[in-house]
Amino acid sequence: MGNQLIVVEGIFNVPVSKVWNAITRKDEMKKWYFDLYEFRPEPGFQFQFWGGPAPDRQYLHLCEIIDAIPEKKLSHTWRYDGYPGNTMVTFELTEQDGKTLLRLSHQGIETFPEDNEDLSIGNFIAGWNSIIHVSLRNYLETPQ
């Protein structure tokens, strides 16, 4: 399948600092993303969480922070306990006239087992689009 890369971009009508907090503070993340036991945007920090397409099909995600540049970039590995494959997720933030351009990229999907539909590129594309364009947008742009 080659090197599969997913890119999802969105412009949010909030400052970069608010988006950075949303993607790096566990109490904020659980409001729109996943409920993490612990999270620190520091290279080498390892975190895990459960997630999946249905209550009876959950996967333990195993991740490690690779790069963290405050209010600019956050990269971490993304793999599943008990399954081959290792991918990289990167959030990049750019200020644009008081708004924030977020660029999410997820690469290496082809390293996951091809016979597991839950781990197909189509599911990742749909999932990231929903997470960024629905969940994160609603969280950031709805008055709290």
Coordinates of all heavy atoms in Angstrom, one line a residue, residues 48-131:
Q48 N -1.4 6.1 27.5 CA -2.2 5.1 26.9 C -3.7 5.4 27.2 O -4.0 6.2 28.1 CB -1.9 3.7 27.4 CG -2.0 3.5 28.9 CD -1.5 2.1 29.3 OE1 -0.6 1.5 28.6 NE2 -2.0 1.6 30.3
F49 N -4.6 4.9 26.3 CA -6.0 5.1 26.5 C -6.7 4.1 25.7 O -6.2 3.4 24.8 CB -6.4 6.5 26.1 CG -6.1 6.9 24.6 CD1 -7.1 6.6 23.6 CD2 -4.9 7.3 24.2 CE1 -6.8 6.9 22.3 CE2 -4.6 7.6 22.9 CZ -5.5 7.4 21.9
W50 N -8.0 3.9 26.1 CA -8.9 2.9 25.4 C -9.7 3.7 24.4 O -10.2 4.8 24.7 CB -9.8 2.2 26.4 CG -9.0 1.2 27.2 CD1 -8.5 1.4 28.4 CD2 -8.7 -0.2 26.8 NE1 -7.9 0.2 28.8 CE2 -8.0 -0.8 27.9 CE3 -9.0 -0.9 25.7 CZ2 -7.6 -2.1 27.8 CZ3 -8.6 -2.3 25.7 CH2 -7.9 -2.8 26.7
G51 N -10.0 3.1 23.2 CA -10.9 3.7 22.3 C -11.2 2.7 21.2 O -10.4 1.7 21.0
G52 N -12.3 2.8 20.5 CA -12.6 1.9 19.4 C -14.0 2.3 18.9 O -14.7 3.2 19.3
P53 N -14.4 1.5 17.8 CA -15.6 1.9 17.1 C -16.9 1.5 17.8 O -18.0 2.0 17.5 CB -15.5 1.1 15.8 CG -14.6 -0.1 16.2 CD -13.7 0.4 17.2
A54 N -16.8 0.6 18.8 CA -18.0 0.2 19.6 C -17.6 -0.2 21.0 O -16.4 -0.6 21.2 CB -18.7 -1.0 18.8
P55 N -18.6 -0.2 21.9 CA -18.2 -0.6 23.3 C -17.6 -2.0 23.4 O -16.7 -2.2 24.2 CB -19.6 -0.6 24.0 CG -20.4 0.4 23.2 CD -19.9 0.2 21.8
D56 N -18.0 -2.9 22.5 CA -17.4 -4.3 22.5 C -16.2 -4.4 21.7 O -15.6 -5.5 21.6 CB -18.5 -5.3 22.1 CG -18.9 -5.1 20.7 OD1 -18.9 -4.0 20.2 OD2 -19.4 -6.1 20.1
R57 N -15.7 -3.3 21.0 CA -14.5 -3.4 20.2 C -13.6 -2.2 20.5 O -13.6 -1.2 19.9 CB -14.9 -3.3 18.7 CG -15.4 -4.7 18.2 CD -15.4 -4.9 16.7 NE -15.3 -3.8 15.8 CZ -16.4 -3.2 15.2 NH1 -17.6 -3.7 15.4 NH2 -16.2 -2.2 14.3
Q58 N -12.9 -2.3 21.7 CA -12.1 -1.3 22.2 C -10.6 -1.8 22.1 O -10.3 -2.9 22.2 CB -12.4 -1.0 23.6 CG -13.8 -0.4 23.8 CD -13.8 1.1 23.3 OE1 -13.1 1.9 23.8 NE2 -14.7 1.3 22.3
Y59 N -9.7 -0.8 21.8 CA -8.3 -1.1 21.7 C -7.5 -0.3 22.6 O -7.8 0.9 22.8 CB -7.8 -0.8 20.2 CG -8.5 -1.6 19.2 CD1 -9.7 -1.2 18.6 CD2 -7.9 -2.8 18.7 CE1 -10.3 -1.9 17.6 CE2 -8.5 -3.5 17.7 CZ -9.7 -3.1 17.2 OH -10.3 -3.8 16.2
L60 N -6.5 -0.9 23.2 CA -5.6 -0.1 24.1 C -4.5 0.6 23.2 O -3.8 -0.1 22.6 CB -4.9 -1.0 25.1 CG -4.0 -0.3 26.1 CD1 -4.7 0.8 26.9 CD2 -3.3 -1.3 27.0
H61 N -4.6 1.9 23.2 CA -3.6 2.7 22.4 C -2.4 3.0 23.3 O -2.5 3.4 24.4 CB -4.3 4.1 22.1 CG -5.5 4.0 21.2 ND1 -6.6 3.4 21.6 CD2 -5.7 4.5 20.0 CE1 -7.5 3.5 20.6 NE2 -7.0 4.2 19.6
L62 N -1.2 2.7 22.7 CA 0.0 2.9 23.4 C 0.8 4.0 22.6 O 1.0 3.9 21.4 CB 0.9 1.7 23.4 CG 0.2 0.4 24.0 CD1 1.0 -0.8 23.8 CD2 -0.1 0.7 25.5
C63 N 1.1 5.1 23.3 CA 1.7 6.3 22.6 C 2.9 6.8 23.4 O 3.0 6.7 24.6 CB 0.6 7.4 22.5 SG -0.9 6.9 21.7
E64 N 3.8 7.5 22.7 CA 4.9 8.2 23.3 C 5.1 9.5 22.6 O 5.2 9.6 21.4 CB 6.2 7.3 23.2 CG 7.4 8.0 23.8 CD 8.6 7.1 23.8 OE1 8.5 5.9 23.6 OE2 9.7 7.7 24.0
I65 N 5.3 10.6 23.4 CA 5.6 11.9 22.9 C 7.0 11.9 22.3 O 8.0 11.5 22.9 CB 5.5 13.0 24.0 CG1 4.2 13.0 24.7 CG2 5.9 14.3 23.4 CD1 3.0 13.4 23.8
I66 N 7.1 12.3 21.0 CA 8.3 12.4 20.3 C 8.8 13.8 20.3 O 10.0 14.1 20.4 CB 8.2 11.9 18.9 CG1 7.7 10.4 18.9 CG2 9.5 12.0 18.1 CD1 8.6 9.4 19.6
D67 N 7.9 14.8 20.1 CA 8.3 16.2 19.9 C 7.2 17.1 20.5 O 6.0 16.8 20.3 CB 8.5 16.5 18.4 CG 9.3 17.8 18.2 OD1 9.8 18.3 19.1 OD2 9.3 18.2 17.0
A68 N 7.6 18.1 21.2 CA 6.6 19.0 21.8 C 7.3 20.4 21.8 O 8.2 20.7 22.6 CB 6.3 18.6 23.2
I69 N 6.8 21.3 20.9 CA 7.2 22.7 20.9 C 6.0 23.5 21.2 O 5.0 23.5 20.5 CB 7.7 23.0 19.5 CG1 8.9 22.1 19.0 CG2 8.1 24.5 19.4 CD1 9.2 22.2 17.6
P70 N 6.0 24.1 22.4 CA 4.8 24.8 22.9 C 4.1 25.7 21.9 O 4.8 26.5 21.3 CB 5.3 25.5 24.2 CG 6.4 24.7 24.7 CD 7.1 24.2 23.4
E71 N 2.8 25.5 21.7 CA 2.0 26.3 20.9 C 2.4 26.2 19.4 O 1.9 27.0 18.6 CB 1.9 27.8 21.3 CG 1.3 27.9 22.7 CD 1.0 29.3 23.2 OE1 1.2 30.2 22.4 OE2 0.5 29.4 24.3
K72 N 3.2 25.2 19.0 CA 3.6 25.0 17.6 C 3.4 23.6 17.1 O 2.8 23.4 16.1 CB 5.0 25.5 17.4 CG 5.2 26.9 17.6 CD 6.5 27.4 17.0 CE 6.8 28.9 17.2 NZ 5.7 29.8 16.7
K73 N 3.9 22.6 17.9 CA 3.9 21.2 17.4 C 3.9 20.2 18.5 O 4.6 20.4 19.5 CB 5.2 21.0 16.5 CG 5.3 19.7 15.9 CD 6.6 19.6 15.1 CE 6.8 18.3 14.4 NZ 8.0 18.2 13.7
L74 N 3.1 19.2 18.3 CA 3.1 18.0 19.2 C 3.0 16.8 18.3 O 2.1 16.6 17.5 CB 1.8 18.1 20.1 CG 1.6 16.9 21.1 CD1 2.7 17.0 22.2 CD2 0.2 16.9 21.7
S75 N 4.0 15.9 18.5 CA 4.1 14.6 17.8 C 4.2 13.5 18.8 O 4.9 13.6 19.8 CB 5.3 14.6 16.9 OG 5.2 15.5 15.9
H76 N 3.4 12.4 18.5 CA 3.5 11.2 19.3 C 3.3 9.9 18.4 O 2.6 10.0 17.4 CB 2.6 11.2 20.5 CG 1.1 11.3 20.1 ND1 0.4 10.2 19.8 CD2 0.2 12.3 20.1 CE1 -0.9 10.5 19.5 NE2 -1.0 11.8 19.7
T77 N 3.9 8.8 18.9 CA 3.6 7.6 18.3 C 2.2 7.1 18.6 O 1.6 7.6 19.6 CB 4.6 6.5 18.7 OG1 4.5 6.3 20.2 CG2 6.1 6.9 18.4
W78 N 1.7 6.2 17.8 CA 0.3 5.6 18.0 C 0.4 4.2 17.6 O 0.6 3.9 16.4 CB -0.6 6.5 17.2 CG -2.0 6.1 17.1 CD1 -2.5 4.9 16.6 CD2 -3.2 6.8 17.5 NE1 -3.9 4.9 16.7 CE2 -4.3 6.1 17.2 CE3 -3.3 8.1 18.1 CZ2 -5.6 6.5 17.5 CZ3 -4.6 8.5 18.3 CH2 -5.7 7.8 18.0
R79 N 0.2 3.3 18.5 CA 0.1 1.9 18.2 C -0.9 1.2 19.1 O -1.4 1.9 20.0 CB 1.5 1.2 18.3 CG 2.1 1.2 19.7 CD 3.6 0.7 19.6 NE 4.1 0.7 21.0 CZ 4.0 -0.4 21.8 NH1 3.4 -1.5 21.4 NH2 4.6 -0.3 23.0
Y80 N -1.1 -0.1 18.9 CA -2.1 -0.8 19.6 C -1.5 -2.0 20.3 O -0.7 -2.7 19.8 CB -3.2 -1.3 18.7 CG -4.0 -0.2 18.1 CD1 -3.7 0.2 16.7 CD2 -5.0 0.5 18.7 CE1 -4.4 1.3 16.1 CE2 -5.6 1.6 18.1 CZ -5.4 1.9 16.8 OH -6.0 3.0 16.2
D81 N -1.9 -2.2 21.6 CA -1.4 -3.3 22.4 C -1.8 -4.6 21.7 O -3.0 -4.8 21.4 CB -1.9 -3.2 23.8 CG -1.3 -4.2 24.7 OD1 -0.1 -4.5 24.6 OD2 -2.1 -4.8 25.6
G82 N -0.9 -5.5 21.5 CA -1.2 -6.8 20.9 C -1.3 -6.8 19.4 O -1.6 -7.9 18.8
Y83 N -1.0 -5.7 18.7 CA -1.1 -5.7 17.2 C 0.2 -5.1 16.7 O 0.8 -4.2 17.3 CB -2.2 -4.8 16.8 CG -3.6 -5.3 17.1 CD1 -4.2 -5.0 18.4 CD2 -4.3 -6.1 16.2 CE1 -5.4 -5.5 18.7 CE2 -5.6 -6.6 16.6 CZ -6.1 -6.3 17.8 OH -7.3 -6.8 18.1
P84 N 0.6 -5.6 15.5 CA 1.8 -5.0 14.9 C 1.5 -3.6 14.3 O 0.3 -3.3 14.1 CB 2.2 -6.0 13.8 CG 0.9 -6.7 13.5 CD 0.1 -6.7 14.8
G85 N 2.5 -2.9 14.1 CA 2.4 -1.6 13.5 C 2.7 -0.4 14.5 O 2.4 -0.6 15.7
N86 N 3.2 0.6 13.9 CA 3.5 1.8 14.7 C 3.4 3.0 13.8 O 3.9 3.0 12.7 CB 4.9 1.7 15.3 CG 5.1 2.7 16.4 OD1 4.2 3.2 17.0 ND2 6.4 3.0 16.7
T87 N 2.6 4.0 14.2 CA 2.4 5.2 13.4 C 2.8 6.4 14.2 O 3.1 6.4 15.3 CB 0.9 5.3 13.0 OG1 0.1 5.5 14.2 CG2 0.4 4.0 12.3
M88 N 2.7 7.6 13.5 CA 3.0 8.9 14.1 C 1.9 9.9 13.8 O 1.4 10.0 12.7 CB 4.3 9.4 13.4 CG 4.7 10.8 14.0 SD 5.5 10.7 15.6 CE 6.9 9.8 15.2
V89 N 1.5 10.5 14.9 CA 0.4 11.6 14.8 C 1.1 12.9 15.2 O 1.9 13.0 16.2 CB -0.7 11.3 15.8 CG1 -1.7 12.5 15.9 CG2 -1.4 10.0 15.5
T90 N 0.9 13.9 14.3 CA 1.5 15.2 14.6 C 0.4 16.3 14.5 O -0.4 16.3 13.5 CB 2.6 15.5 13.6 OG1 3.6 14.5 13.7 CG2 3.2 16.9 13.8
F91 N 0.3 17.2 15.5 CA -0.5 18.3 15.5 C 0.4 19.5 15.3 O 1.4 19.7 16.0 CB -1.2 18.5 16.8 CG -2.2 17.5 17.2 CD1 -1.8 16.3 17.8 CD2 -3.6 17.7 16.9 CE1 -2.7 15.3 18.2 CE2 -4.5 16.7 17.3 CZ -4.1 15.5 17.9
E92 N 0.2 20.4 14.3 CA 0.9 21.6 14.0 C 0.0 22.8 14.1 O -1.1 22.7 13.5 CB 1.6 21.5 12.7 CG 2.7 20.4 12.6 CD 3.3 20.2 11.2 OE1 2.6 19.7 10.4 OE2 4.4 20.7 11.0
L93 N 0.4 23.8 14.8 CA -0.5 25.0 15.0 C 0.2 26.2 14.4 O 1.4 26.4 14.6 CB -0.7 25.2 16.5 CG -1.2 24.0 17.3 CD1 -1.4 24.4 18.8 CD2 -2.5 23.5 16.8
T94 N -0.5 27.0 13.7 CA 0.0 28.2 13.1 C -1.1 29.3 13.4 O -2.3 29.2 13.1 CB 0.2 28.1 11.6 OG1 1.0 26.9 11.4 CG2 0.8 29.3 11.0
E95 N -0.6 30.5 13.9 CA -1.5 31.6 14.1 C -1.7 32.3 12.7 O -0.8 32.5 11.9 CB -0.8 32.6 15.0 CG -1.7 33.7 15.5 CD -1.7 34.9 14.6 OE1 -0.8 35.2 13.9 OE2 -2.8 35.6 14.6
Q96 N -3.0 32.6 12.5 CA -3.4 33.3 11.3 C -4.4 34.4 11.6 O -5.6 34.1 11.8 CB -4.0 32.3 10.2 CG -3.0 31.4 9.6 CD -3.6 30.6 8.5 OE1 -4.8 30.5 8.3 NE2 -2.7 30.0 7.7
D97 N -4.0 35.6 11.7 CA -4.9 36.8 12.0 C -5.7 36.5 13.2 O -7.0 36.7 13.2 CB -5.7 37.1 10.8 CG -4.9 37.4 9.6 OD1 -3.9 38.1 9.7 OD2 -5.2 37.0 8.5
G98 N -5.2 36.1 14.3 CA -5.9 35.9 15.5 C -6.6 34.5 15.6 O -7.2 34.2 16.6
K99 N -6.6 33.8 14.5 CA -7.2 32.4 14.5 C -6.1 31.4 14.5 O -4.9 31.8 14.4 CB -8.1 32.3 13.2 CG -9.2 33.3 13.2 CD -10.0 33.1 11.9 CE -11.2 34.1 11.9 NZ -12.0 34.0 10.7
T100 N -6.5 30.2 14.5 CA -5.4 29.1 14.6 C -5.7 28.1 13.4 O -6.8 27.5 13.3 CB -5.5 28.3 15.9 OG1 -5.3 29.3 17.0 CG2 -4.4 27.3 16.0
L101 N -4.7 27.9 12.6 CA -4.7 26.8 11.7 C -4.1 25.6 12.4 O -3.0 25.6 12.9 CB -3.9 27.1 10.4 CG -3.6 26.0 9.5 CD1 -4.9 25.5 8.8 CD2 -2.6 26.4 8.4
L102 N -4.9 24.5 12.4 CA -4.4 23.2 13.0 C -4.2 22.3 11.8 O -5.2 22.1 11.0 CB -5.4 22.6 14.0 CG -4.9 21.3 14.6 CD1 -5.3 21.2 16.0 CD2 -5.5 20.1 13.8
R103 N -3.1 21.7 11.7 CA -2.8 20.6 10.7 C -2.5 19.4 11.4 O -1.5 19.3 12.1 CB -1.7 21.1 9.8 CG -1.3 20.0 8.7 CD -0.2 20.5 7.9 NE 0.0 19.7 6.7 CZ 0.7 18.6 6.5 NH1 1.4 18.2 7.5 NH2 0.8 18.0 5.4
L104 N -3.3 18.4 11.3 CA -3.1 17.1 11.9 C -2.6 16.1 10.8 O -3.2 16.1 9.7 CB -4.4 16.5 12.5 CG -4.1 15.0 13.0 CD1 -4.7 14.9 14.4 CD2 -4.7 14.0 12.1
S105 N -1.5 15.4 11.0 CA -1.1 14.4 10.1 C -0.9 13.1 10.8 O -0.5 13.1 12.0 CB 0.2 14.8 9.4 OG 1.2 15.0 10.3
H106 N -1.3 12.0 10.2 CA -1.1 10.7 10.8 C -0.5 9.8 9.7 O -1.1 9.6 8.6 CB -2.5 10.1 11.2 CG -2.4 8.9 12.0 ND1 -3.5 8.4 12.7 CD2 -1.4 8.0 12.3 CE1 -3.1 7.3 13.4 NE2 -1.8 7.1 13.2
Q107 N 0.7 9.3 9.9 CA 1.4 8.6 8.9 C 1.8 7.2 9.4 O 1.9 7.0 10.6 CB 2.7 9.3 8.4 CG 3.7 9.5 9.5 CD 4.8 10.4 9.0 OE1 4.6 11.3 8.1 NE2 6.0 10.1 9.5
G108 N 1.9 6.2 8.5 CA 2.3 4.9 8.8 C 1.1 3.9 9.0 O 1.3 2.8 9.5
I109 N -0.1 4.3 8.6 CA -1.2 3.4 8.8 C -1.0 2.1 8.1 O -1.5 1.0 8.5 CB -2.5 4.1 8.1 CG1 -2.7 5.5 8.7 CG2 -3.8 3.2 8.3 CD1 -3.0 5.6 10.2
E110 N -0.2 2.1 7.0 CA 0.0 0.8 6.3 C 0.8 -0.2 7.2 O 0.8 -1.4 6.8 CB 0.8 1.1 5.0 CG 2.3 1.5 5.2 CD 2.5 2.9 5.6 OE1 1.5 3.7 5.7 OE2 3.7 3.2 5.9
T111 N 1.3 0.2 8.3 CA 2.0 -0.8 9.2 C 1.0 -1.6 10.0 O 1.4 -2.6 10.6 CB 3.0 -0.1 10.1 OG1 2.4 0.7 11.0 CG2 4.0 0.7 9.3
F112 N -0.2 -1.2 10.1 CA -1.2 -2.0 10.8 C -1.7 -3.2 10.0 O -1.7 -3.1 8.8 CB -2.4 -1.1 11.2 CG -2.1 0.0 12.2 CD1 -2.7 1.2 12.2 CD2 -1.3 -0.3 13.3 CE1 -2.4 2.2 13.1 CE2 -1.0 0.7 14.3 CZ -1.5 1.9 14.2
P113 N -2.3 -4.2 10.7 CA -2.7 -5.4 10.0 C -3.8 -5.0 8.9 O -4.8 -4.3 9.3 CB -3.3 -6.3 11.1 CG -2.7 -5.8 12.3 CD -2.4 -4.3 12.1
E114 N -3.7 -5.4 7.7 CA -4.6 -5.1 6.7 C -5.9 -5.9 6.9 O -7.0 -5.5 6.3 CB -4.0 -5.5 5.3 CG -2.9 -4.5 4.9 CD -2.4 -4.9 3.5 OE1 -3.1 -5.5 2.7 OE2 -1.3 -4.5 3.2
D115 N -5.9 -7.0 7.6 CA -7.1 -7.8 7.7 C -8.0 -7.3 8.9 O -9.1 -7.9 9.2 CB -6.8 -9.3 8.0 CG -6.0 -9.5 9.2 OD1 -5.5 -8.5 9.8 OD2 -5.8 -10.7 9.6
N116 N -7.7 -6.2 9.5 CA -8.5 -5.6 10.6 C -9.2 -4.3 10.1 O -8.5 -3.3 10.0 CB -7.7 -5.4 11.8 CG -8.6 -4.9 13.0 OD1 -9.6 -4.4 12.8 ND2 -8.1 -5.2 14.2
E117 N -10.4 -4.4 9.7 CA -11.1 -3.2 9.1 C -11.1 -2.0 10.1 O -11.1 -0.9 9.6 CB -12.5 -3.6 8.7 CG -13.3 -2.5 8.1 CD -12.7 -2.0 6.8 OE1 -12.1 -2.8 6.1 OE2 -12.9 -0.8 6.4
D118 N -11.1 -2.3 11.4 CA -11.1 -1.2 12.4 C -9.9 -0.3 12.2 O -9.9 0.9 12.6 CB -11.2 -1.7 13.8 CG -12.5 -2.3 14.2 OD1 -13.5 -2.1 13.5 OD2 -12.5 -3.1 15.2
L119 N -8.8 -0.9 11.7 CA -7.5 -0.2 11.6 C -7.2 0.2 10.1 O -6.1 0.5 9.8 CB -6.4 -1.1 12.1 CG -6.6 -1.7 13.5 CD1 -5.3 -2.5 13.9 CD2 -6.9 -0.6 14.5
S120 N -8.3 0.3 9.3 CA -8.1 0.7 7.9 C -8.0 2.2 7.7 O -8.4 3.0 8.6 CB -9.3 0.2 7.1 OG -10.5 1.0 7.4
I121 N -7.3 2.6 6.7 CA -7.1 4.0 6.5 C -8.5 4.8 6.4 O -8.6 5.9 6.8 CB -6.2 4.3 5.2 CG1 -5.8 5.8 5.2 CG2 -6.9 3.9 3.9 CD1 -4.6 6.1 4.3
G122 N -9.5 4.1 5.8 CA -10.8 4.8 5.7 C -11.4 5.1 7.0 O -12.0 6.2 7.2
N123 N -11.2 4.2 8.0 CA -11.7 4.5 9.3 C -10.9 5.6 10.0 O -11.5 6.4 10.7 CB -11.7 3.2 10.2 CG -12.9 2.3 9.9 OD1 -13.9 2.8 9.4 ND2 -12.7 1.1 10.3
F124 N -9.6 5.6 9.8 CA -8.8 6.7 10.3 C -9.2 8.1 9.7 O -9.3 9.1 10.4 CB -7.3 6.5 10.2 CG -6.8 5.5 11.2 CD1 -6.5 4.2 10.9 CD2 -6.5 5.9 12.5 CE1 -6.0 3.3 11.8 CE2 -6.0 5.0 13.4 CZ -5.8 3.7 13.1
I125 N -9.4 8.1 8.4 CA -9.8 9.3 7.8 C -11.1 9.8 8.3 O -11.2 11.0 8.7 CB -9.9 9.2 6.2 CG1 -8.5 9.0 5.6 CG2 -10.6 10.4 5.6 CD1 -8.5 8.5 4.2
A126 N -12.1 9.0 8.4 CA -13.4 9.4 9.0 C -13.3 9.8 10.5 O -13.8 10.8 10.9 CB -14.4 8.2 8.9
G127 N -12.5 9.0 11.2 CA -12.3 9.3 12.6 C -11.6 10.7 12.9 O -12.1 11.5 13.7
W128 N -10.5 10.9 12.2 CA -9.8 12.2 12.4 C -10.7 13.4 11.9 O -10.7 14.4 12.5 CB -8.5 12.2 11.7 CG -7.4 11.4 12.4 CD1 -6.7 10.4 12.0 CD2 -7.0 11.7 13.8 NE1 -5.8 9.9 12.9 CE2 -6.0 10.7 14.1 CE3 -7.3 12.6 14.8 CZ2 -5.3 10.6 15.3 CZ3 -6.7 12.5 16.0 CH2 -5.7 11.6 16.2
N129 N -11.4 13.2 10.8 CA -12.3 14.3 10.4 C -13.3 14.6 11.4 O -13.6 15.8 11.7 CB -12.9 14.0 9.0 CG -11.9 14.4 7.9 OD1 -11.8 15.6 7.6 ND2 -11.3 13.4 7.2
S130 N -13.9 13.6 12.0 CA -14.9 13.8 13.0 C -14.3 14.4 14.3 O -14.8 15.4 14.8 CB -15.6 12.5 13.4 OG -16.5 12.7 14.4
I131 N -13.2 13.9 14.7 CA -12.5 14.5 15.9 C -12.1 15.9 15.7 O -12.4 16.8 16.6 CB -11.3 13.6 16.2 CG1 -11.7 12.3 16.8 CG2 -10.3 14.3 17.2 CD1 -10.6 11.2 16.9

